[in-house]
Amino acid sequence: MSIAEQVKELLAPLADPAQAARMSAYMRDQFAFYGIPTPARRATLRSLVRGLKGVDAGVLLGAAGELWQAPQRECQYAAIDLLAAHVKQFDDRHIDALLGLAHQGSWWDTVDALAVVIGTIVRADRPLRQPRMDEAVRHADLWIRRVAMLHQLGWRADTDPGRLFGYAQRLAHEADFFIRKAIGWGLRDYARHDPEAVREFLLAQGSTLSALTQREAGKHLGMEK
């Protein structure tokens, strides 16, 4: 039995139709759900995920790809948990495959979680891997661009402010809500490390940045609009 089949076999008995309907409604009825809360899902799969320690990156990506094709959204969440638990198995050779997942069945929930996984891989070798994000921020798919904008979340002192601010400027003209939100989120996160740098950037950019972006970025800086 494949890893993906094992995951589905463990999750299926936990299905809760009433909870599934609520979860689907929250996601604007774009996806089907088993109706399993995150803590229960992770607890159920913990032994399986831990047992995959040392498994080849290709096998893990294959399992994630198979789970991505399942109709229930929890299967994609399980795939991301699996990837995150074994993120040290991945390197620059695997970034395209991970971005490929972000390109499928895309919505903020899976894309943002993949941004963290990809960001962890990039952070492990920034000189080699961050140029891949320079390509991603120019991608035709807005969700790939969102990954690029968010890949440095939580990096604090390791953040490349030139890239952070440069990506924000590059994407600032876009009208899409999720891009504007991502710019603000990325800036707000960095403001926890260097509030003055973010404050100066916001003041310098002015109305170039959308009101949504400025509001998100200015939280905790006393600059909300």
Side-chain angles (χ1 to χ4, degrees):
M1 186 182 296
S2 72
I3 295 169
E5 289 170 339
Q6 292 178 65
V7 168
K8 288 183 278 188
E9 185 173 79
L10 288 168
L11 292 182
L14 303 180
D16 180 339
Q19 181 70 4
R22 287 190 290 271
M23 294 170 76
S24 183
Y26 178 72
M27 298 298 288
R28 301 182 184 178
D29 294 315
Q30 295 186 93
F31 311 106
F33 284 83
Y34 283 119
I36 307 171
T38 295
R41 183 190 78 242
R42 288 178 172 164
T44 298
L45 298 178
R46 186 173 294 120
S47 294
L48 173 61
V49 171
R50 286 178 176 174
L52 296 173
K53 184 177 181 179
V55 169
D56 181 75
V59 174
L60 297 172
L61 285 169
E66 188 176 343
L67 287 166
W68 225 261
Q69 302 309 309
Q72 295 84 5
R73 198 62 163 173
E74 290 94 340
C75 290
Q76 284 93 68
Y77 299 159
I80 294 166
D81 288 343
L82 185 157
L83 296 170
H86 304 289
V87 69
K88 291 183 179 179
Q89 294 292 99
F90 303 108
D91 56 37
D92 50 288
R93 296 171 297 174
H94 307 115
I95 291 174
D96 283 345
L98 293 166
L99 289 173
L101 294 178
H103 187 62
Q104 304 174 48
S106 308
W107 198 243
W108 62 265
D109 55 340
T110 53
V111 168
D112 292 3
L114 284 168
V116 174
V117 173
I118 293 168
T120 302
I121 296 166
V122 170
R123 190 178 186 179
D125 192 342
R126 287 175 288 158
L128 176 64
R129 299 171 188 172
Q130 274 200 294
R132 302 296 299 280
M133 296 295 96
D134 298 343
E135 299 170 7
V137 80
R138 299 191 295 271
H139 199 279
D141 186 335
L142 75 90
W143 297 108
I144 304 298
R145 300 196 299 277
R146 182 171 166 110
V147 168
M149 189 67 233
L150 297 179
H151 84 277
Q152 297 189 91
L153 285 179
W155 284 24
R156 302 298 189 267
D158 284 344
T159 300
D160 181 336
R163 277 192 166 91
L164 176 69
F165 297 141
Y167 290 4
Q169 289 174 308
R170 180 176 186 85
L171 299 175
H173 72 282
E174 298 197 27
D176 184 84
F177 171 86
F178 291 104
I179 292 295
R180 291 181 169 185
K181 188 87 168 179
I183 299 169
W185 186 9
L187 294 172
R188 183 175 82 241
D189 182 74
Y190 186 56
R192 294 187 176 96
H193 172 71
D194 192 342
E196 284 309 308
V198 174
R199 191 190 309 276
E200 289 175 10
F201 178 75
L202 292 173
L203 290 172
Q205 295 302 305
S207 61
T208 301
L209 300 172
S210 71
L212 171 61
T213 294
Q214 293 182 60
R215 185 166 59 250
E216 286 294 315
K219 287 180 179 177
H220 318 301
L221 292 177
M223 300 178 67
E224 301 95 325
K225 290 192 175 183

